[in-house]
Amino acid sequence: MTKSDGGTPRKTDVKVSLMGGHRLDGATLHERTVTASLIGGADVDLTDIDIPDGAELRITKLSLIGGVKLRVRRDVRVEVHGLRLGGVNDGGPSEPGGPTVRIDAWGLLGGVTVHRA
């Protein structure tokens, strides 16, 4: 994850495809990422990066069909927002503090599944 300092604007990564999802890993992500596709989800692996305490990584997923599969460390708090027909599967920490990944998932079909390593 590339973290900007307080004096510079945050960079937003944008990934777009008509059909097919996106595979994202922590080494190539910035603090904000938008992934958009007509059909296809997002497969995000953040197990190889160290998200500082108090930092927030934000991922926005837009698609008609397709969910989000997220892999994070056990200590990372995951917040899921948005509108979709599909549930959220996450048994991780929910207390404030520590590193946070925020998923904004917008679409018709597809849930959000969180795997912890």
Side-chain angles (χ1 to χ4, degrees), residues 26-46:
T28 60
L29 291 179
H30 289 83
E31 291 176 329
R32 297 179 187 171
T33 299
V34 176
T35 174
S37 61
L38 188 61
I39 298 173
D43 187 2
V44 183
D45 186 356
L46 301 177

Side-chain angles (χ1 to χ4, degrees), residues 20-23 35 37 39-43 61 63 65-68:
H22 298 104
R23 287 185 182 225
T35 174
S37 61
I39 298 173
D43 187 2
K61 194 270 312 166
S63 67
I65 300 172
V68 177

Side-chain angles (χ1 to χ4, degrees), residues 2 6 8 16 27 30 32 35 40-41 43 50-51 54-55 61 65 74 77 80 84 86 88 93 101-102 104 117:
T2 304
T8 60
V16 179
H30 289 83
R32 297 179 187 171
T35 174
D43 187 2
D50 183 28
I51 304 170
K61 194 270 312 166
I65 300 172
R74 295 200 180 276
R77 188 171 76 121
V80 179
R84 73 223 157 271
V88 175
V101 174
R102 178 181 169 138
D104 295 312

Side-chain angles (χ1 to χ4, degrees), residues 1-79:
M1 178 179 91
T2 304
K3 182 164 175 42
S4 61
D5 60 12
T8 60
R10 295 179 180 188
K11 183 174 180 182
T12 300
D13 291 323
V14 179
K15 313 284 185 190
V16 179
S17 68
L18 206 51
M19 294 183 71
H22 298 104
R23 287 185 182 225
L24 309 168
D25 61 34
T28 60
L29 291 179
H30 289 83
E31 291 176 329
R32 297 179 187 171
T33 299
V34 176
T35 174
S37 61
L38 188 61
I39 298 173
D43 187 2
V44 183
D45 186 356
L46 301 177
T47 56
D48 62 342
I49 63 166
D50 183 28
I51 304 170
D53 280 351
E56 179 180 274
L57 180 66
R58 181 174 289 191
I59 300 168
T60 302
K61 194 270 312 166
L62 308 165
S63 67
L64 288 177
I65 300 172
V68 177
K69 185 187 320 179
L70 176 67
R71 284 183 287 288
V72 294
R73 295 186 333 255
R74 295 200 180 276
D75 64 330
V76 174
R77 188 171 76 121
V78 176
E79 294 180 359

